[in-house]
Amino acid sequence: MIFDSYEAYKRAGFKPKACILGSGPAGTTVARKLGAAGIPVVVLEAGSREFSDESQDFYRGKTVGDFYFDLDITRLRFMGGSSNHWAGWCRVLDKQDFEPKAWAPDTGWPISRADIEPHLAEVHDILELPDFRPDVPVSDDIRWVQLIKSPAVRFGEKFADELDQSRNIAVVLNTYATELAGDGKRVTGAKLWSNGQEAGTFTADYFVTCTGGLENSRLLLWSNQRSNGGVVPNATALGRYWMEHPTFEGGNAILANYSEFEVDNSNEAFFSPTLAAMERLQIMNFGIRLIESPYPNVKKLIADLACTAPNMAEWMSSQLDQKLRCAAQLYVAWEQAPLASNQIELSKADVDHAGVPRIELHWKKSPLERRTLLEGLRLFGTTMAQKNLGRVRIDDWISNGGDYPTNEETAGHHHMGGTRMGTDVLKSVVDANCKVHGMDNLYVGGSSVFCTSGQCNPTTTITALACRLGEHLGKVITV
Amino acid sequence: MSIFNRAKLPDVTRSSPGFGTELAFPDGMCAVQERHAWIEAPIERRVMSNFMKRMSRRVIVQALIALPALSLFRNQPVVAEPDEIVEINGWILRRSDLA
């Protein structure tokens, strides 16, 4: 069932056991799992079926620190959530991403990769993925990894009919919780906002916040403030350890053999370090995206020349009326070290139309990450040279310690952390089952529970964790 | 000061009339030495003079011919591994790429 307003939903007389906030990949997946288990669940979606400026305005915020995207650009607030602008790149966090790393404080998850693997078959169905091929070692230091470009499932579109026909799932559009109320043990209710106005309070036995990697922290920070700590009793880490995948062009490469690595339809291949290399160099995980030259024959020769003799290549390419670049481009995305100082705060000066403080995001890249960028490229370049697969040139700004460019990709629009999973209540917000520490009926879904970010795009792992959470709740919630 | 080093001094050979090469240098050495301030110590002059008297012209010429071979006994710099990885101007290369 899908309702366009809370009023319409109320008239239907639906009695849910659980309330899910948000209809993105996490919220929709948890709802489908509960619905399949015969548990009545309501999904509150703040936006409608389509993008609107009015809805998007609630996402405006401010960033302090390093350059970052506008917060109302980097996510979407309508049915299906940010899957609506997802590029569809898929890969699950590596086994090593779940392990603690002695050289990087506050790393390590309370679960392992093996805990989500039983759910991957279901994830493949949801995201319409073929099987991943195993990583291929290129050297002792570098792995050739696979990142699948999926059809980019828009959860709102793909599952709209299924949700509409479900007798156990009610989706209420244009409706969300401005705050949760709690007594330090349980969430006792939610204050609703629907179609531009207050819509009263709402109760359910269980609440699952799946509002996104920024908004989960905002909702819980505000709710906790309003309930005097009654929603997140252990709130030291709430909003903290926020992470992204910084992404920059890192250099160029001349390849010895263009058929050495199978590339995807975008002429791209991906490489990551081994755990041994990370440990030896004491760096974080990273992913190098090698974009092969799309040029054939003479154009390829000129593009190769552009690496070593740019002026000559420019002249030659101008003769061909072409703009050819150095043979292959290297982009680097890396894992951020989880830092408590990278955090989501509530603005003290700015509120949205519902009176909820907007986000003030404090975000800076650390020296460890800068070292990861440089040493990662060196590691890759060394492997390419040692194996005679090609030669790599690192961009000057990286070699010379220059400032990060502000006209490049910057980051992946991947919002992770803020309500991280863990066993230490001072350094985490939820436990291994995504339940908020100290609360009996409040769970969190989505990438905000990530302890570390790994190097890969998060949606596949988000969906796997949501399957796991849905299965867990299916056993916990009694009908 | 060795014969080799003196032979490297171009002024000496040029100032010896009729001798345009280093091999020809010993013939006029004593006279040349007298005219140059860089040999000032009398004892050195004496030693060198006795040394030259004992040496036949053939021996001296043979010694001079053999001089280039001395380089074989000098400490040679370690030959770089061609597979060694070096970073030059941002490029990560094999040493052999630079040959």
Side-chain angles (χ1 to χ4, degrees):
Chain A
M1 297 168 279
I2 298 179
F3 302 93
D4 287 326
S5 69
Y6 184 61
E7 283 302 314
Y9 164 77
K10 277 200 302 188
R11 285 195 295 274
F14 188 70
K15 300 292 182 192
K17 295 289 287 185
C19 173
I20 295 170
L21 307 174
S23 69
T28 298
T29 302
V30 174
R32 292 179 67 239
K33 293 287 285 184
L34 293 182
I39 297 169
V41 56
V42 61
V43 179
L44 303 183
E45 168 50 53
S48 65
R49 295 173 192 262
E50 302 289 339
F51 175 92
S52 76
D53 289 332
E54 293 75 18
S55 178
Q56 204 63 25
D57 183 78
F58 283 81
Y59 274 174
R60 279 196 297 112
K62 176 183 172 187
T63 303
V64 178
D66 286 350
F67 171 77
Y68 193 61
F69 312 111
D70 290 341
L71 299 186
D72 57 336
I73 298 295
T74 191
R75 50 199 178 139
L76 289 172
R77 193 174 184 266
F78 65 98
M79 189 173 173
S82 292
S83 72
N84 288 299
H85 65 179
W86 177 42
W89 292 18
C90 292
R91 181 176 170 82
V92 186
L93 285 178
D94 294 333
K95 178 175 180 286
Q96 64 198 44
D97 292 325
F98 292 87
E99 307 293 333
K101 295 167 185 67
W103 62 95
D106 299 324
T107 50
W109 292 52
I111 62 173
S112 69
R113 159 95 182 214
D115 289 304
I116 61 171
E117 279 174 354
H119 307 282
L120 294 184
E122 190 172 2
V123 171
H124 279 240
D125 286 343
I126 294 170
L127 299 181
E128 301 171 22
L129 298 176
D131 289 337
F132 285 98
R133 65 149 172 76
D135 295 346
V136 177
V138 182
S139 68
D140 290 341
D141 295 332
I142 294 291
R143 298 169 290 146
W144 175 27
V145 301
Q146 189 185 27
L147 198 150
I148 297 176
K149 313 279 183 62
S150 75
V153 169
R154 311 299 184 208
F155 279 68
E157 292 176 15
K158 176 170 181 174
F159 297 109
D161 287 345
E162 177 187 322
L163 295 172
D164 200 22
Q165 291 161 16
S166 172
R167 306 315 302 165
N168 291 326
I169 303 172
V171 178
V172 188
L173 301 174
N174 306 301
T175 303
Y176 74 107
T178 54
E179 65 182 76
L180 302 174
D183 60 10
K185 287 289 183 187
R186 296 181 60 81
V187 171
T188 53
K191 193 171 172 182
L192 298 189
W193 183 273
S194 182
N195 283 314
Q197 57 187 350
E198 287 186 19
T201 57
F202 171 85
T203 60
D205 290 349
Y206 292 87
F207 285 85
V208 187
T209 66
C210 302
T211 60
L214 287 160
E215 207 66 10
N216 275 347
S217 290
R218 180 191 185 194
L219 171 65
L220 293 179
L221 281 165
W222 178 238
S223 300
N224 215 34
Q225 184 174 316
R226 299 277 288 172
S227 287
N228 296 316
V231 175
V232 184
N234 304 288
T236 306
L238 180 57
R240 295 183 180 272
Y241 302 100
W242 192 81
M243 299 163 289
E244 246 281 11
H245 287 132
T247 306
F248 292 91
E249 186 170 354
N252 302 112
I254 302 174
L255 302 180
N257 181 359
Y258 278 83
S259 60
E260 184 72 34
F261 300 108
E262 183 188 347
V263 293
D264 59 22
N265 292 336
S266 307
N267 285 316
E268 295 179 343
F270 298 85
F271 301 88
S272 284
T274 62
L275 181 59
M278 291 167 59
E279 191 167 8
R280 187 180 77 246
L281 296 171
Q282 307 217 324
I283 56 176
M284 307 302 289
N285 202 351
F286 62 85
I288 287 183
R289 174 163 43 119
L290 184 149
I291 310 175
E292 283 191 354
S293 164
Y295 313 121
N297 306 324
V298 174
K299 284 184 181 177
K300 181 180 288 183
L301 288 175
I302 298 172
D304 277 344
L305 185 66
C307 301
T308 50
N311 293 338
M312 172 72 80
E314 187 178 352
W315 176 81
M316 292 176 73
S317 62
S318 70
Q319 298 303 303
L320 289 173
D321 199 22
Q322 300 282 330
K323 185 175 174 63
L324 305 177
R325 301 185 66 192
C326 180
Q329 283 86 58
L330 301 175
Y331 285 81
V332 189
W334 65 87
E335 174 181 32
Q336 278 207 282
L339 297 176
S341 56
N342 281 336
Q343 63 173 321
I344 296 160
E345 289 185 351
L346 297 176
S347 171
K348 294 178 175 60
D350 198 7
V351 298
D352 65 19
H353 295 306
V356 178
R358 294 188 186 276
I359 286 175
E360 190 172 283
L361 173 65
H362 295 252
W363 184 60
K364 280 188 82 69
K365 296 179 282 294
S366 73
L368 171 56
E369 294 156 36
R370 185 66 192 229
R371 202 155 55 77
T372 297
L373 170 62
L374 177 58
E375 296 301 330
L377 279 163
R378 282 177 171 158
L379 202 64
F380 180 66
T382 299
T383 285
M384 294 292 276
Q386 283 175 337
K387 300 289 181 183
N388 228 11
L389 298 169
R391 298 294 183 269
V392 165
R393 186 178 188 279
I394 302 173
D395 276 354
D396 290 341
W397 70 271
I398 300 172
S399 298
N400 301 335
D403 292 338
Y404 287 101
T406 55
N407 59 348
E408 289 192 14
E409 286 191 35
T410 300
H413 300 275
H414 304 156
H415 314 138
M416 300 163 286
T419 67
R420 69 198 309 246
M421 186 188 287
T423 53
D424 183 348
V425 297
L426 296 176
K427 294 190 172 184
S428 62
V429 175
V430 302
D431 64 15
N433 289 319
C434 298
K435 185 171 75 66
V436 172
H437 292 308
M439 298 294 283
D440 293 336
N441 67 342
L442 178 58
Y443 291 78
V444 179
S447 51
S448 66
V449 306
F450 282 22
C451 302
T452 53
S453 66
Q455 60 82 20
C456 67
N457 302 51
T459 302
T460 319
T461 307
I462 289 171
T463 309
L465 285 170
C467 288
R468 180 173 177 269
L469 173 57
E471 195 163 296
H472 172 75
L473 287 172
K475 296 171 185 167
V476 169
I477 301 173
T478 54
V479 181
Chain B
M1 186 172 285
S2 71
I3 295 172
F4 176 79
N5 283 337
R6 287 186 186 179
K8 283 290 186 184
L9 294 171
D11 284 347
V12 174
T13 51
R14 278 204 295 272
S15 62
S16 302
F19 301 100
T21 67
E22 290 178 346
L23 277 177
F25 168 73
D27 277 350
M29 178 176 280
C30 290
V32 172
Q33 285 171 347
E34 295 295 332
R35 294 199 299 268
H36 283 79
W38 43 266
I39 302 176
E40 290 179 344
I43 185 146
E44 184 182 341
R45 269 207 303 265
R46 285 197 299 275
V47 168
M48 285 302 296
S49 179
N50 292 335
F51 173 76
M52 296 302 287
K53 284 175 186 169
R54 289 176 192 163
M55 293 294 111
S56 69
R57 184 185 176 94
R58 175 182 296 274
V59 169
I60 293 172
V61 169
Q62 285 176 337
L64 289 169
I65 290 171
L67 276 178
L70 290 176
S71 64
L72 296 173
F73 300 98
R74 286 188 301 182
N75 288 333
Q76 296 291 329
V78 176
V79 178
E81 284 290 326
D83 291 341
E84 182 189 4
I85 301 299
V86 294
E87 189 173 330
I88 295 173
N89 193 28
W91 282 101
I92 299 174
L93 305 169
R94 286 180 167 202
R95 170 88 51 200
S96 57
D97 294 335
L98 304 172

